[in-house]
Amino acid sequence: MNQTFNISPPLRDLLAYTQELLGTEVQLVRRTDVPPHGLLIDDVTYGTGKNVIAFSSALLGTLKDYTICRNCLELLARGCASRRGNYKVIAFSRESALAGCRQIYLDVLKDEGTRNLSVWQKKQLVFLLYMLFCEVFSEMPLRLLADIVIARKFPLLRNAQVYFLLKESMRDMHDLVPVKEFLPQRYFVLHNGIYYARDMLLAYILSEYKLNPVINIPELQRFRNLDMKEMMTHRWSRSPWYHTKVVGDALSNMLKRTITMDTEAEFSETYFHDLYLLSTEIPVRWWVMVGMQDWFLWDTPEGRRTVLATQSSIEKFVREEIFGPD
């Protein structure tokens, strides 16, 4: 490490282990413009020639350590997968983007709340929603697994983890609320259902702590004491928050069936390689559940960077295929 920060002994040991296992330096950077969850800019994904973990200057103590630890675990998973030649990332092509955007457009037309949007709004919305889910599926699974490892293996950071996750849950679940009226309900529900599934699994693992999204998300409080039969006939059954709970429960059950790895095992290259493979299995199973299996593809990091460099031309192609020439 080229920077000296006041970090806890378990995190210092993890950073030293990371550098030894991957044979590379890990740089820690404190910045004011970093989001609360921090930023991991690693060489295998971004081709920068270095591995940087940036954390917000607003975070102190074990909150800072927790953020660094979560990003460091993700770095280990990516690095070990790359060492074994198995590292792939979620990307897209002209064909897969067209398939996803065409379905989004059809859902926009089917939804009573969005079918009457102006043409220019529909043109913008379709590709923005597609890229939103590309980002969610790319980042959330491995981040979730890193949280499970922290909960199991880093007791010193658990209190900070619970505090952070409660705030993160509120941010993620309400991220799309300001634009809810401009989105097909299906995608608002799916987006929030993914994070609800994450929160329910972590609530189960951290059951000795008060981490319960049904309690901490105001819109879901009304469903706390209802069983499924009552909810099906309840006057709120048309609420998108009700559908979020139903979809989130299904996605969470899939998570529980998928994550069978012994996360309390001793750290090794195989451990983190398996953790990475598990992070790729989660979105694949979800895609099958929600009918998105032809929306995205797995590519090398270099291939993804090339696609992102041509994103504007792909967006133009998709827009013209769906709406016709401008």
Side-chain angles (χ1 to χ4, degrees), residues 173 196 213-214 217-224 241 245:
M173 290 289 287
Y196 179 88
V214 176
I217 296 170
E219 289 84 350
L220 294 175
Q221 288 181 359
R222 65 188 69 171
F223 301 122
R224 282 183 60 197
W241 293 101
K245 183 183 188 324

Side-chain angles (χ1 to χ4, degrees), residues 11 95 119 144 146 199 203 224 226 261 326:
L11 177 58
E95 293 73 23
V119 174
L144 165 66
D199 294 343
R224 282 183 60 197
L226 299 177
M261 174 182 169
D326 293 335

Side-chain angles (χ1 to χ4, degrees), residues 44-264:
V44 297
T45 303
Y46 300 100
T48 57
K50 55 187 177 181
N51 298 300
V52 177
I53 298 176
F55 60 94
S56 172
S57 57
L59 298 180
L60 302 172
T62 52
L63 274 175
K64 162 183 59 64
D65 290 359
Y66 160 73
T67 302
I68 297 172
C69 184
R70 186 162 74 166
N71 282 282
C72 188
L73 291 170
E74 291 185 38
L75 171 62
L76 278 164
R78 295 177 185 179
C80 290
S82 177
R83 283 166 64 90
R84 297 198 176 187
N86 292 331
Y87 185 49
K88 300 282 187 176
V89 293
I90 294 175
F92 53 91
S93 64
R94 288 159 63 103
E95 293 73 23
S96 67
L98 179 59
C101 290
R102 181 171 281 138
Q103 183 59 54
I104 292 173
Y105 177 61
L106 292 175
D107 290 327
V108 167
L109 297 179
K110 293 175 186 176
D111 193 283
E112 294 180 1
T114 56
R115 67 176 55 162
N116 294 321
L117 291 175
S118 62
V119 174
W120 72 268
Q121 288 176 313
K122 292 173 183 174
K123 286 182 177 181
Q124 287 189 324
L125 175 62
V126 166
F127 199 77
L128 284 174
L129 268 178
Y130 178 79
M131 291 305 299
L132 171 67
F133 281 99
C134 184
E135 180 180 353
V136 170
F137 288 126
S138 296
E139 295 182 356
M140 204 283 285
L142 187 53
R143 192 169 292 171
L144 165 66
L145 293 173
D147 267 315
I148 293 174
V149 174
I150 291 173
R152 299 296 194 198
K153 304 273 284 184
F154 293 88
L156 182 64
L157 302 180
R158 281 198 198 119
N159 286 337
Q161 180 184 28
V162 171
Y163 174 80
F164 188 93
L165 290 175
L166 288 171
K167 297 187 70 174
E168 185 174 60
S169 172
M170 291 291 289
R171 283 193 303 268
D172 292 337
M173 290 289 287
H174 288 81
D175 192 33
L176 296 183
V177 169
V179 295
K180 180 165 68 74
E181 303 304 321
F182 299 97
L183 304 177
Q185 182 170 303
R186 177 184 184 221
Y187 296 100
F188 178 81
V189 166
L190 178 58
H191 177 272
N192 283 10
I194 289 171
Y195 290 111
Y196 179 88
R198 173 201 65 185
D199 294 343
M200 289 303 291
L201 181 63
L202 291 174
Y204 173 76
I205 292 173
L206 292 162
S207 58
E208 64 270 34
Y209 301 103
K210 293 181 180 179
L211 178 64
N212 190 332
V214 176
I215 294 175
N216 292 296
I217 296 170
E219 289 84 350
L220 294 175
Q221 288 181 359
R222 65 188 69 171
F223 301 122
R224 282 183 60 197
N225 300 315
L226 299 177
D227 63 28
M228 185 56 65
K229 183 177 179 181
E230 289 175 315
M231 290 174 66
M232 291 296 288
T233 58
H234 201 275
R235 66 184 178 88
W236 286 313
S237 63
R238 293 181 61 84
S239 164
W241 293 101
Y242 158 74
H243 292 291
T244 292
K245 183 183 188 324
V246 173
V247 172
D249 284 340
L251 296 174
S252 184
N253 289 335
M254 179 62 77
L255 281 177
K256 290 177 182 177
R257 291 196 297 268
T258 305
I259 302 175
T260 57
M261 174 182 169
D262 180 12
T263 51
E264 295 188 61

